[in-house]
Amino acid sequence: MKAIVQDRYGPPETLTLAEVDTPVPAADEVLVRVAAAALNAYDWHAMRGDPRLARLAMGRSKPRARVRGRDFAGRVEAVGAHVRQVRPGDAVFGDLGEANGAFAEYVCVPESLVAAKPANLTPQQAAALPLAGITALMGLRDAGQVQPGHRVLINGASGGVGTLAVQLAKVLGATVTGVCSTRNVDLVRSLGADHVVDYTRDDFARDAGRHDVVFDLVGNRSLTALRRVLTPTGTLVLSGGGVYRGGSLVGPVWLITRGRLLAPFVRHRIVTLATAPGRQHLDTLRAHAEAGRLTPVIDRTYPLHEVPRAVRYLEGEHARAKVVITV
Ligand SMILES: NC(=O)C1=CN([C@@H]2O[C@H](COP(=O)(O)OP(=O)(O)OC[C@H]3O[C@@H](n4cnc5c(N)ncnc54)[C@H](OP(=O)(O)O)[C@@H]3O)[C@@H](O)[C@H]2O)C=CC1
């Protein structure tokens, strides 16, 4: 089968189209013929092996997972002997997590990481949901504990996670403020945001003490600026963006180390998010999608052999929502 493989960390040119063996499902796995895959910020960080500390998990000298890509949608071709809830022919979607393998014609995935594809979405739209949608769901519902009537600010509202987070925050009953650049103001408003801050003209950090939850998906602001806009008992959810940006690394590191020790003196809840793929979250996303409450936005679509171009576009950090690969 054809797949996008990577044998050393580096720029998009290290991603190449190659002929590899079609995987064979283990007893608890399903073999999926991939129809579409989606890119995430994770893919370009993993491609470059950035930050270096993450190589402890991803492979020290070269990527442990040779075939790249996490999010996929497709049709089940075969199932392992112990698989019970999925059958050949089922349309499914999922996130492979650190195992990767989605930028390929076929992928083997544990049954626990796939769910039935939302019936009303195309494979491209379904592939755009898993990692970004789970991040939005866990960030707002679990980490942020968003309740009806809460005021929620989303920094990075026009990105892959942000466009889904705006919609999910509305589902949770929040009043939503989205932060994005001028060209995306109309998009973010159309997704349901009650207020939109154009960061090229205005600074959301001036809006002191107003928000119950701040969900930061950019990592370009200091902890002080992010906390300033929270109510005294508000929650700050950090997606991890700051960890990848030299300039704002200091904040999260301070938080994780001394911040914990100082917790009794810090009124705000501050949570660094670690997304965990799984069927339960996928089922929740499907339910919202099928009810018309959650629609993925696709910026661009590329064929499989153009994954390097797609990653280069995404790592410019101004993609409008999702970049998708049609296999
Ligand atoms: N912790 C976890 O498990 C996970 C963490 N993440 C992290 O979440 C972050 C967001 O991911 P994702 O949405 O996929 O990324 P995207 O690349 O899709 O989004 C980037 C967005 O950031 C916006 N942006 C860029 N500069 C600014 C700025 N100065 N102010 C406000 N917004 C800005 C852009 O909007 P515009 O073009 O309008 O400027 C763009 O839409 C990433 O850092 C990613 O690593 C993601 C998934 C899981």
Side-chain angles (χ1 to χ4, degrees):
M1 68 167 187
K2 289 188 176 56
I4 294 291
V5 303
Q6 190 186 20
D7 292 312
R8 64 183 170 89
Y9 293 116
E13 292 68 37
T14 57
L15 300 169
T16 52
L17 186 69
E19 198 67 40
V20 300
D21 291 341
T22 302
V24 177
D28 64 340
E29 288 182 337
V30 302
L31 176 70
V32 176
R33 187 187 175 98
V34 179
L39 261 62
N40 291 283
Y42 165 89
D43 293 307
W44 63 265
H45 293 305
M47 174 189 77
R48 293 187 180 271
D50 171 38
R52 288 189 86 87
L53 198 58
R55 295 189 188 188
L56 292 175
M58 297 186 300
R60 286 178 71 174
S61 55
K62 62 176 189 171
R64 197 168 289 141
R66 189 166 182 244
V67 180
R68 311 304 307 171
R70 289 181 60 151
D71 284 343
F72 66 92
R75 205 164 277 281
V76 175
E77 284 275 315
V79 301
H82 298 161
V83 171
R84 294 284 171 266
Q85 300 189 32
V86 181
R87 285 178 303 187
D90 287 356
V92 294
F93 74 134
D95 166 17
L96 290 150
E98 293 286 340
N100 284 262
F103 299 155
E105 290 176 309
Y106 293 90
V107 66
C108 276
V109 51
E111 181 187 16
S112 59
L113 296 185
V114 297
K117 179 183 85 64
N120 58 335
L121 298 188
T122 63
Q124 285 75 10
Q125 289 174 310
L129 268 184
L131 177 57
I134 292 173
T135 305
L137 191 66
M138 291 180 70
L140 294 167
R141 184 195 64 184
D142 306 339
Q145 296 174 9
V146 173
Q147 306 292 326
H150 272 173
R151 280 196 284 250
V152 174
L153 181 134
I154 298 167
N155 188 31
S158 57
V161 179
T163 46
L164 298 170
V166 169
Q167 298 175 70
L168 288 172
K170 292 307 297 177
V171 169
L172 293 168
T175 299
V176 179
T177 300
V179 182
C180 62
S181 61
T182 312
R183 72 186 186 109
N184 291 322
V185 166
D186 288 344
L187 167 72
V188 171
R189 196 170 282 128
S190 75
L191 296 171
D194 302 277
H195 311 282
V196 183
V197 176
D198 175 351
Y199 68 79
T200 67
R201 295 172 185 202
D202 208 353
D203 181 5
F204 71 80
R206 273 189 284 184
D207 214 1
R210 267 182 63 84
H211 299 282
D212 300 287
V213 176
V214 171
F215 192 14
D216 180 44
L217 298 164
V218 184
N220 64 336
R221 304 303 297 262
S222 68
L223 277 183
T224 308
L226 293 168
R227 288 177 54 203
R228 185 179 304 134
V229 298
L230 283 172
T231 60
T233 54
T235 300
L236 171 60
V237 183
L238 299 168
S239 74
V243 174
Y244 299 115
R245 288 169 189 261
S248 53
L249 181 68
V250 180
V253 169
W254 180 90
L255 168 76
I256 291 158
T257 54
R258 283 160 53 209
R260 283 267 161 81
L261 296 177
L262 293 177
F265 307 102
V266 179
R267 280 176 303 178
H268 300 129
R269 277 181 70 241
I270 305 179
V271 187
T272 47
L273 194 61
T275 302
R279 183 188 299 132
Q280 242 185 345
H281 296 312
L282 294 170
D283 285 340
T284 303
L285 296 175
R286 183 185 60 244
H288 289 314
E290 288 182 347
R293 297 186 289 258
L294 185 65
T295 307
V297 178
I298 295 177
D299 179 352
R300 295 187 183 187
T301 304
Y302 294 83
L304 184 63
H305 69 275
E306 287 192 3
V307 165
R309 268 187 70 203
V311 176
R312 191 170 285 295
Y313 174 62
L314 189 70
E315 70 177 339
E317 293 192 280
H318 289 285
R320 183 184 274 144
K322 297 298 296 184
V323 176
V324 171
I325 305 300
T326 296
V327 181

